[in-house]
Amino acid sequence: MYTPISFALLVTSSLFCQLVTSQTHEPTELHLIHRVVHPDLPVTPWAELGTVTVPSFKSISPTGSAASLSLAESLRDDLAEFSEAVDPNMQGAMYHVAIERLESEGPISSIKACLLPSSTSANVVIHFSATGEPFAIDYSVSPVPQDGICTVTNMGSYPAHNASVVLKSPRMAPLPELRIPPPLTPEGEPVASVPEKSFVQKYWIYMVVVLGALLISGPAEDSPSGDGKGGK
């Protein structure tokens, strides 16, 4: 028979499990924001980049699951304001992409702003924790010079890429291979292994038997010479 307190705890835990299950099964949306910054210029405010539709957490693979990104309607106007505030070809200019959070600052990915004018595509990777919370974001563009050095171009604007999005769930680390600990003496020291016996130590008894048999048998008798008949 349940007491009132235990029944209340049972109901509370049941509601909590249902809430967690619904959060991990129902699709959600993540709002991405972006901005450009330069150490010598005022920081530009965050602007909406787009919305990512996240499927149920159980359907996200550790190797990556594709998702769709809906770009914000004001994206081109925001990029034009970025160009007026910070020229992408300026040394030290950075482009930030983050996951919007109301209660705290979300994870941020940063790349050189000078890589954007000559880029033709973008890629976003969002990493999720074991509880289904996004904890990291990676933003990249291509093509990128192999040496990572930006080429000076006449294009002083930020392109509007319809980036591809990949979602990744946590990957389980391989279990360590544990070895059996060595036996210890009552004093806590490792038990010394018995040294392996040599060939003579292993088979000396057989060698003694063979040697004794040879001594007992004695030397072989010489056969008499000639045919036993005398001659003149």
Side-chain angles (χ1 to χ4, degrees):
M1 181 177 182
Y2 292 108
T3 61
I5 296 178
S6 61
F7 179 75
L9 292 175
L10 180 63
V11 172
T12 303
S13 61
S14 177
L15 293 175
F16 177 77
C17 293
Q18 292 179 1
L19 177 61
V20 173
T21 303
S22 63
Q23 290 179 349
T24 56
H25 284 276
E26 294 181 358
T28 57
E29 290 184 348
L30 292 178
H31 298 281
L32 302 184
I33 53 180
H34 63 154
R35 69 179 181 183
V36 289
V37 295
H38 192 277
D40 298 332
L41 297 176
V43 178
T44 58
W46 290 101
E48 183 181 1
L49 175 61
T51 304
V52 178
T53 302
V54 181
S56 62
F57 178 68
K58 287 189 174 181
S59 65
I60 300 177
S61 170
T63 58
S65 301
S68 60
L69 171 65
S70 300
L71 298 177
E73 296 181 356
S74 60
L75 177 61
R76 296 187 180 277
D77 295 335
D78 295 334
L79 293 176
E81 294 181 2
F82 289 170
S83 301
E84 295 178 359
V86 180
D87 190 325
N89 293 316
M90 292 181 63
Q91 183 70 22
M94 304 297 293
Y95 178 69
H96 292 174
V97 176
I99 300 175
E100 184 180 26
R101 287 181 180 175
L102 299 179
E103 67 280 1
S104 61
E105 183 175 340
I108 301 175
S109 178
S110 179
I111 65 171
K112 296 179 180 179
C114 57
L115 297 175
L116 273 74
S118 59
S119 63
T120 57
S121 62
N123 183 51
V124 178
V125 181
I126 301 176
H127 304 269
F128 290 82
S129 64
T131 59
E133 293 293 329
F135 69 91
I137 181 173
D138 299 327
Y139 183 86
S140 60
V141 295
S142 61
V144 175
Q146 295 183 355
D147 54 7
I149 300 177
C150 299
T151 56
V152 180
T153 62
N154 296 326
M155 295 180 295
S157 60
Y158 298 91
H161 294 314
N162 189 5
S164 60
V165 181
V166 176
L167 310 177
K168 289 187 176 183
S169 60
R171 186 190 301 269
M172 297 299 295
L175 298 178
E177 297 182 2
L178 302 179
R179 297 181 179 179
I180 300 176
L184 302 177
T185 62
E187 292 76 16
E189 298 180 357
V191 177
S193 59
V194 179
E196 186 179 357
K197 294 181 179 181
S198 63
F199 180 81
V200 177
Q201 291 175 330
K202 290 182 179 178
Y203 304 104
W204 67 270
I205 186 66
Y206 302 104
M207 298 171 65
V208 171
V209 172
V210 173
L211 183 59
L214 293 175
L215 294 175
I216 294 174
S217 62
E221 297 181 357
D222 296 336
S223 59
S225 59
D227 55 358
K229 298 181 179 180
K232 293 182 179 179

